[in-house]
Amino acid sequence: MTRKEPLLQGESSHTGHSSLPGHSVSQAHGLLHKRSPLWWRILHSLGFTCGGTTFIAGSVCFFFPNWVEGAWWSALLYTVGSLGFLLVDVMEFFTFTDCVFLRTNILCSALGSALYVIGSIGFFPSVYDQSDFYGIWGFILGSAAIGSSQLWKVARIGWTEGKGFRICQLYSEEDEMTQTGVEFNASLGAWCFFFGTILFKWKGGVDVACYLASVWIWTWGSVAFTCGAGFLAYRHFVMGV
């Protein structure tokens, strides 16, 4: 989930800042001045927002283990949300085609989102009761791919020419700060699902406290995804990028 609109990850609109090695300043500035049409920004933002909010609802369903239909509704909500995340990545992959590094970064996110779709389908009772393999490993591997990809994006935002990665670059101005809000929250959400799913797999079925802990971790991860969507909406509709 790249969660990144026309600005190239890690580039600043200020002269003197570049991305990670392999991107020239001219490449960076060429991409920086691209602006997507309004319909694209609306669909892009809705996809991410749908992902975050449906993940919250899907996670909350797990707080009611005695609700017979709860597992089915949770799997459905996760599937819808995962498709929303995947939509965002597909839109970006076919829109930002000028830089191979950026496309590779987006492709990693798309792989994670596709694994989320598989994992979500794997949580439908008809599938999960046969085997938990697809549900569990779809989320573990998908979360690892998304979390790593999003951290790569954070590194790109904080990279400065001649000085390497600097944390202060992440919040130096509104552009960098909002980019970081999008990417870091997406990474945090993914890692919450990574560790929460591991806990759910190995302890959730035998320990009530671990079960509840895993569900809370999923819920907070979903909130982080939704916060990232909020930063993205701000960039699209307030900053106009």
Side-chain angles (χ1 to χ4, degrees), residues 51-63 67 70-71 73-79 193 215 218-219 222:
T53 54
T54 55
F55 265 46
I56 291 176
S59 297
V60 168
C61 289
F62 279 93
F63 284 111
W67 179 23
W73 279 105
S74 177
L76 178 64
L77 289 163
Y78 278 155
T79 301
F193 271 87
V215 176
W218 288 340
T219 303
S222 302

Side-chain angles (χ1 to χ4, degrees), residues 57 190 201:
K201 164 64 177 175

Side-chain angles (χ1 to χ4, degrees), residues 22-228:
H23 301 151
S24 68
V25 173
S26 60
Q27 284 177 313
H29 288 179
L31 288 171
L32 282 169
H33 293 290
K34 289 186 175 180
R35 290 294 180 268
S36 299
L38 179 60
W39 71 264
W40 192 99
R41 284 180 279 146
I42 292 173
L43 188 59
H44 192 235
S45 181
L46 283 176
F48 196 5
T49 302
C50 172
T53 54
T54 55
F55 265 46
I56 291 176
S59 297
V60 168
C61 289
F62 279 93
F63 284 111
F64 306 95
N66 295 324
W67 179 23
V68 177
E69 294 83 10
W72 187 90
W73 279 105
S74 177
L76 178 64
L77 289 163
Y78 278 155
T79 301
V80 172
S82 298
L83 289 171
F85 289 147
L86 184 58
L87 171 65
V88 171
D89 297 325
V90 170
M91 289 178 66
E92 292 172 353
F93 185 78
F94 289 104
T95 299
F96 310 126
T97 59
D98 295 336
C99 176
V100 66
F101 295 97
L102 178 58
R103 294 200 86 195
T104 301
N105 209 166
I106 295 171
L107 188 60
C108 291
S109 295
L111 172 63
S113 296
L115 287 168
Y116 266 12
V117 174
I118 294 172
S120 299
I121 294 172
F123 268 98
F124 277 103
S126 59
V127 180
Y128 194 86
D129 290 345
Q130 299 297 318
S131 173
D132 66 1
F133 178 83
Y134 296 103
I136 295 296
W137 287 103
F139 271 97
I140 290 176
L141 296 178
S143 296
I146 293 170
S148 299
S149 177
Q150 298 305 126
L151 285 179
W152 180 7
K153 297 178 182 73
V154 173
R156 292 164 67 101
I157 297 168
W159 197 270
T160 58
E161 187 174 17
K163 296 182 180 180
F165 179 79
R166 301 184 67 190
I167 291 179
C168 61
Q169 174 65 15
L170 299 177
Y171 54 86
S172 57
E173 296 199 19
E174 183 181 35
D175 182 40
E176 288 78 8
M177 182 176 66
T178 54
Q179 286 183 60
T180 302
V182 174
E183 313 300 355
F184 180 77
N185 275 293
S187 178
L188 178 60
W191 288 116
C192 282
F193 271 87
F194 178 81
F195 291 109
T197 305
I198 290 176
L199 181 61
F200 182 85
K201 164 64 177 175
W202 278 276
K203 291 291 185 180
V206 297
D207 189 310
V208 174
C210 288
Y211 173 86
L212 289 174
S214 64
V215 176
W216 273 113
I217 293 170
W218 288 340
T219 303
W220 285 114
S222 302
V223 170
F225 280 137
T226 306
C227 287

